[in-house]
Each structure stands twice: as structure tokens, then as C-alpha cells.
Amino acid sequence: DVKVTQSSRYLVKRTGEKVFLECVQDMDHENMFWYRQDPGLGLRLIYFSYDVKMKEKGDIPEGYSVSREKKERFSLILESASTNQTSMYLCASSSLGGANEKLFFGSGTQLSVL
Amino acid sequence: GQNIDQPTEMTATEGAIVQINCTYQTSGFNGLFWYQQHAGEAPTFLSYNVLDGLEEKGRFSSFLSRSKGYSYLLLKELQMKDSASYLCAVYNTDKLIFGTGTRLQVFP
């Protein structure tokens, strides 16, 4: 079974803390994505990567950074967590086939920033 | 701007048919996806349309009209396990843009 694994299901952090969200996929996919999902707003793309050490800003990159040192791992970093970053974070991956390539999602990390 | 609209909530009865609509206005179009997401779980792929017409896959079908910027997901013979959110997503020039999702509740 193909798998996208996110390191934590629930996370509680304090304002100002540095937060790392880890994502690992076992499908040898080139593309990896980080989304956040908020009620009434749907999934919004934060960052994505098409290759190792490569990253592109999505629609809402402010306050976030990413790291892709290995093909299978894509990390989302909140440099200084704020309460408006409380959200469900979803990692996804896809192969490099083109626009018709479906995304495989992880189960998500529910982050609460207090 | 980019805009994808779908109803927020729908209800239906077990065994019935339900149609979930999605309209979109995007600067580019390279296909439209439907994903299913059960509460607390990851979204999973349902269908992909890039050409006009109907794609059928078991109890689920998806329709696309590019000229109208319109798609629908048709669910037949509804089952309780179909209670979930259904996400419409358009592949714009280089990435997927998601709608806010339609929460479907199926009642016995």
C-alpha cells in the first residue's frame, strides 16, 4: 500500500515556538506538497517541491518555510508559531506525470498554537 | 482571480442519488479532480476529468463542461459510508486549486 506518513497526528505548541512538521512518502514521488485546511476555506497550498532541494511558494507561504533534503521527506517549518497558524496541515505527494497525476495525502497534523 | 464554488452542505437518503455541483473560474485549466474526505481522515482520489463528458466509475460518475466551467459528481445508490466531504479541485497552470468542499450527510 502506498503511504504518506506525517510524524504527528496532534501537536500543541506555544506562540513563538519553532515548529517542525515532517512528512515521508514511500512511493518514490518527485512532487511533494504542504496544504493547510481550515473550515470554510478549503485546502490552501503553502509550499511545494518538484525535486530534492527545490521549493516553490504556494498561495500562502508567509510565516512558513520548507526543507527537502531527501526525495522521500518534505518538512514544513513554522519559524515562530502564531495563533493564526492553528490549523490542520496536510502533506501530499504525486509522481511527475503531469496534470492528471493524483495526489496522495497523509492523514494530517492538527496543530494548535496557544 | 481563481474561484471554485460548491455547496457547503447537502443531505440525502440511503439508496438515493445525489449530485454535487462545482463551478470554477480559473486562469488556466488542465483538468478537474474530485476527492472524498471522511471526517478526520486524508482526502482520497475519486475522479479526474480533462475532456468534456461523463466519466463513470461504479456508483460514482463525474461530468465536465469546460465551456461552462462546470462539473458535477453523481453518487448513486447512496450508502451510509458515503457521508463525507467531497472536494472539487482544478489543476490550474501548475498546481491544484481546491474548492471549500461539500459536506454530504446520508440518512437511513
Side-chain angles (χ1 to χ4, degrees):
Chain A
D1 240 5
V2 296
K3 219 165 184 179
V4 179
T5 304
Q6 294 184 229
S7 54
S8 303
R9 187 74 179 93
Y10 299 96
L11 214 50
V12 180
K13 296 291 180 181
R14 296 209 175 272
T15 302
E17 276 193 79
K18 190 168 185 176
V19 182
F20 292 86
L21 301 184
E22 305 287 346
C23 175
V24 177
Q25 50 95 3
D26 65 359
M27 294 165 282
D28 201 34
H29 282 168
E30 290 81 8
N31 307 331
M32 295 190 76
F33 307 83
W34 274 107
Y35 290 87
R36 62 177 284 177
Q37 186 174 30
D38 301 286
L41 295 177
L43 272 77
R44 292 180 292 166
L45 183 62
I46 305 171
Y47 266 97
F48 59 102
S49 168
Y50 289 149
D51 201 353
V52 175
K53 297 197 186 290
M54 174 269 176
K55 59 186 178 185
E56 292 282 347
K57 291 180 180 178
D59 300 315
I60 51 163
E62 298 78 19
Y64 304 95
S65 62
V66 289
S67 172
R68 191 153 182 213
E69 296 296 318
K70 293 184 178 181
K71 189 177 184 179
E72 66 271 19
R73 187 179 297 269
F74 193 36
S75 304
L76 181 69
I77 304 153
L78 287 67
E79 294 290 340
S80 178
S82 63
T83 54
N84 63 13
Q85 291 178 310
T86 290
S87 185
M88 171 67 80
Y89 289 87
L90 288 164
C91 175
S93 71
S94 70
S95 63
L96 199 57
N100 62 332
E101 290 298 327
K102 60 188 179 187
L103 296 181
F104 292 86
F105 285 89
S107 296
T109 296
Q110 179 63 52
L111 173 67
S112 297
V113 183
L114 307 177
Chain B
Q2 325 284 11
N3 203 41
I4 299 175
D5 287 316
Q6 43 182 139
T8 304
E9 287 196 11
M10 297 182 71
T11 59
T13 307
E14 200 174 11
I17 299 173
V18 72
Q19 178 174 312
I20 303 174
N21 296 326
C22 171
T23 57
Y24 63 90
Q25 288 178 305
T26 54
S27 54
F29 181 84
N30 284 314
L32 186 144
F33 289 81
W34 284 96
Y35 285 83
Q36 179 190 59
Q37 185 178 24
H38 286 100
E41 296 183 14
T44 54
F45 169 81
L46 283 179
S47 68
Y48 171 75
N49 295 67
V50 66
L51 300 175
D52 289 352
L54 189 69
E55 295 276 346
E56 296 187 76
K57 198 186 289 186
R59 294 190 299 115
F60 292 8
S61 304
S62 56
F63 171 83
L64 175 68
S65 168
R66 289 172 297 171
S67 61
K68 294 181 179 176
Y70 167 69
S71 173
Y72 67 72
L73 181 68
L74 192 71
L75 292 76
K76 302 176 189 174
E77 301 167 17
L78 279 173
Q79 301 176 9
M80 298 297 292
K81 67 178 182 179
D82 297 330
S83 291
S85 289
Y86 292 85
L87 314 179
C88 173
V90 171
Y91 201 100
N92 198 13
T93 313
D94 61 350
K95 58 180 183 283
L96 267 183
I97 302 170
F98 282 84
T100 54
T102 298
R103 184 168 165 245
L104 173 67
Q105 286 186 285
V106 179
F107 293 100

